[in-house]
Amino acid sequence: VMPLYLLRTIAFPEWWGHPNAAESAPVTLWNYVERTIYVGVIPLLLAAAVLLAGLAGRRKTPLLALAALGLAVPLDVPLIRTIVVHLPFFDQVLDERMVFLLVVAVALLAAFGLQRLLEQPRGQRRYWALVAGALAVALLAVLTSGASLHDIRTALNHFRTGTTYPIREILSLTAVGWWVIFTAALGIVLLLLRSRRFPLAALGQLDVVLVAVDLLHFASGFQPMASARTAFPPATPLIKFLQRHAGEGRVSGYGGALPE
């Protein structure tokens, strides 16, 4: 099952770093994919806005159930996981991967949240409350990261120069910085909505673009596409020999005792 500390990656997926940049413990216990529960900052806040508006609605309640199941099973919630892991098929798979149900549910709830925001641009109180709450979460994360003022200055230097520092506190502060950036981006969208100077459709498209940028940043550099030179190395002398003698018949040996 997934340890509770991985819940932190809902907001800060790179709290322990990124596999193609720098990492620190306890990331060595989990690979980057299996340990990360991330759907993007803006989708998470938009989905939360739907929850603040109330849980009623036939289209939303099943999504809430999926989200709950997607957390309960991987985090070993008593009784729920016990039932699921003994069901046919589910007793033969890695059930902690059911966290994808949470990802799907949040993405769809975020769509409802964006729709409501565009249809009722004046009713922004809950959205601003969520932006403020997200910034408060960032502040709390900084205070509990164990970082010093020097670490904070170094993390800010990362955003200025792009330099990566393989130090736990700085990696954590960098993750918090990205959370703040995309939270602020949602705040800008809210301000543009409030000004009423831009078409609602254009602002909706801007929101989608921001989500795409967020997720591209999250996935950037992870399992990158190799160059053709690397993916298709030149033939070795052995391969060239086999190519010259193709069709002559060959015998492959294998380990083990020979029959008497």
Side-chain angles (χ1 to χ4, degrees):
V1 297
M2 299 177 67
L4 285 175
Y5 67 73
L6 292 186
L7 282 174
R8 194 186 303 262
T9 61
I10 292 179
F12 313 118
E14 297 180 351
W15 184 264
W16 298 283
H18 190 285
N20 284 336
E23 292 186 324
S24 65
V27 71
T28 52
L29 303 178
W30 296 80
N31 71 49
Y32 190 61
V33 173
E34 301 291 348
R35 71 156 198 233
T36 305
I37 311 169
Y38 190 62
V39 294
V41 179
I42 294 176
L44 186 63
L45 296 180
L46 291 176
V50 173
L51 300 184
L52 290 180
L55 304 182
R58 288 180 298 175
R59 293 181 297 176
K60 302 170 188 175
T61 302
L63 297 177
L64 295 173
L66 283 179
L69 187 63
L71 275 180
V73 176
L75 296 177
D76 197 18
V77 173
L79 185 62
I80 296 179
R81 178 178 173 84
T82 302
I83 294 174
V84 172
V85 299
H86 287 89
L87 293 175
F89 177 75
F90 289 102
D91 60 350
Q92 302 179 43
V93 297
L94 295 175
D95 297 287
E96 61 268 24
R97 291 178 179 171
M98 288 181 66
V99 74
F100 85 92
L101 296 176
L102 171 69
V103 177
V104 171
V106 170
L108 293 174
L109 287 171
F112 284 114
L114 178 58
Q115 179 184 12
R116 186 181 183 92
L117 180 61
L118 296 178
E119 291 177 349
Q120 302 177 17
R122 296 182 180 180
Q124 294 185 10
R125 287 187 178 181
R126 67 175 60 91
Y127 294 91
W128 281 113
L130 287 168
V131 168
L135 295 177
V137 168
L139 178 60
L140 179 63
V142 171
L143 295 176
T144 58
S145 66
S148 64
L149 290 177
H150 174 72
D151 293 331
I152 294 175
R153 289 194 296 268
T154 305
L156 292 175
N157 190 59
H158 162 79
F159 289 97
R160 185 176 62 86
T161 65
T163 304
T164 299
Y165 302 93
I167 302 171
R168 185 187 64 80
E169 291 81 6
I170 298 175
L171 292 173
S172 300
L173 290 175
T174 301
V176 175
W178 284 109
W179 168 270
V180 172
I181 287 172
F182 289 107
T183 299
L186 179 59
I188 292 173
V189 172
L190 294 177
L191 287 175
L192 294 176
L193 276 170
R194 189 173 184 178
S195 69
R196 304 180 186 177
R197 295 180 181 178
F198 301 90
L200 293 180
L203 293 178
Q205 293 167 358
L206 174 61
D207 189 85
V208 172
V209 169
L210 290 171
V211 173
V213 172
D214 183 2
L215 297 181
L216 283 172
H217 163 260
F218 165 64
S220 176
F222 183 62
Q223 292 185 337
M225 179 65 71
S227 65
R229 182 177 180 180
T230 303
F232 304 99
T236 64
L238 175 59
I239 295 299
K240 291 179 180 178
F241 174 83
L242 294 176
Q243 290 173 338
R244 290 195 303 268
H245 297 275
E248 295 184 5
R250 298 189 298 274
V251 176
S252 290
Y254 65 94
L258 295 176
E260 297 181 358

